[in-house]
Every structure is written in structure tokens, then in C-alpha cells.
Amino acid sequence: MDKPIQIRQFPYNFGAVGQHLLYVGAASVSAKLQGGNFWQYAVQALTVGLLNHGVQRIEYIYQKKRVSVINSLQAIDLYLTPNNGQVELGWGIKRKLLGSDESKYVVHRLEKGIAVKLSAKITVDLTKDIDTFFVGQTTLEYFTTCTISICVTKFVAFGSDGFRDPLDIGQTISKVLKKDINVELPKGNPYDFIPWDYKIQYKNPGYAPR
């Protein structure tokens, strides 16, 4: 079992603060070009975070190269920190996924026996909450097996998703040049989300064994 992540804090220097303000300013321009609202929330998160932490920066110390991200502020800070490229999302974010309209809709239809597909891939929108906004439109894949009496559905969340190009610079350039462009901020360190597996078991509502 992994040990809890140790977090050490140290004061920002002027350069780090200036760097964050530069990112926020650039983000505002990018958001305006995109017509989106990601950095409206990102700026709020940065502002609140800097005030709450007394303008301190979190330095992550890895235990077995695993770190858990719990909100958008931490996600941005980790992006600006050298990391191993794989990050686990915290339980609060996973709970928001379980409580999403998309997830509850799938579970309801499976358990009631009215699901058109017993195995499929859907998109879950986690942009409605500031703490999960950085996750964005994430994938949720599920697979169902049934006996005569019991069904088990296995879910895989956050597969092939991650945090990268937070200003959507690549998307802006791609639209202009009409070709896919990947762009990261200076000193930006993109990372993938570690997929999360879970399952539910319920009485077979009438599906053929499979």
C-alpha cells in the first residue's frame, strides 16, 4: 500500500508569482479567443488558492511515484511542477463522477432492465464544478456480464484522459492552420490520469445471460 503523499510548503519568490500572473493573463486572452470559460474558473481557483495559502506553493514529494490531485488549483500547480506523467484523481473527484447525471442515467437504466447497450463508452461532463473543471469532458466505459440471477457491470473512468495544454493554445493554432498542433506552456509538464476501475452488482432485471 502506498504511503500518504508528503507535502512541503515554501514561500513563493517574486519570479514564481510573476510567472503565475503571466499564465493567468495569457489564459484570459486564450479563453476570449476560444469563447470558453475554463480560465474564468482557473483564475478564481488561483486567486483563492494564493490567498488561502498565504502566497505559498506546494511542492510534491512522491512516494512510489504516485500523487493524488483533488482540485483544479492543485492540478494547475502540478502541471507547473516536474512530475512522473501519471496522476491519480482524488476520491472527491471520483465521487463527483459517480454522482454525475450521465453516470446515474446509465446505472438507472441498467438496473431497471431498460438499457439499450449493456457495454458502451460515454462522456461525463465534470466542468460544472470548479474543483473538477480541469478534468473536463472525461470518458466512462462500462462492460456488463450476467448470469440468470445476477448482473455485474465494470466501469473504467478517466481512461486515456489527462491534463495538458491548459490554455488551449494548440486548439487555437489548430483552428487557424487547420491541422492538429500540440503546444504546452513553458515549463509545463502534461500528465495522464490513472484510470479508475469500479463495479456494481445487481439483480438481473431480465437480460439474457452473457
Side-chain angles (χ1 to χ4, degrees), residues 92-137:
I93 295 174
K94 295 172 180 175
R95 188 163 56 242
K96 290 290 178 63
L97 180 135
L98 293 176
S100 67
D101 293 340
E102 298 90 339
S103 176
K104 291 191 293 186
Y105 177 80
V106 167
V107 172
H108 171 75
R109 293 182 69 84
L110 286 170
E111 293 181 340
K112 293 297 182 181
I114 56 177
V116 176
K117 296 181 179 180
L118 300 187
S119 299
K121 181 187 290 186
I122 65 171
T123 298
V124 177
D125 183 6
L126 292 181
T127 64
K128 300 173 184 177
D129 187 288
I130 189 170
D131 284 338
T132 60
F133 201 94
F134 74 97
V135 181
Q137 305 272 345

Side-chain angles (χ1 to χ4, degrees), residues 145-206:
T145 58
C146 295
T147 65
I148 294 176
S149 58
I150 296 294
C151 286
V152 175
T153 299
K154 177 183 177 181
F155 294 85
V156 180
F158 315 122
S160 303
D161 289 340
F163 189 78
R164 53 185 63 85
D165 189 14
L167 299 185
D168 291 333
I169 298 173
Q171 291 186 28
T172 303
I173 298 176
S174 294
K175 288 182 179 179
V176 174
L177 300 180
K178 297 182 179 180
K179 62 187 328 184
D180 291 335
I181 300 292
N182 294 320
V183 179
E184 301 296 341
L185 294 178
K187 297 185 180 180
N189 300 280
Y191 51 84
D192 295 324
F193 301 144
I194 296 174
W196 176 45
D197 298 353
Y198 64 95
K199 62 183 178 181
I200 60 173
Q201 180 174 303
Y202 47 97
K203 181 179 178 181
N204 189 338

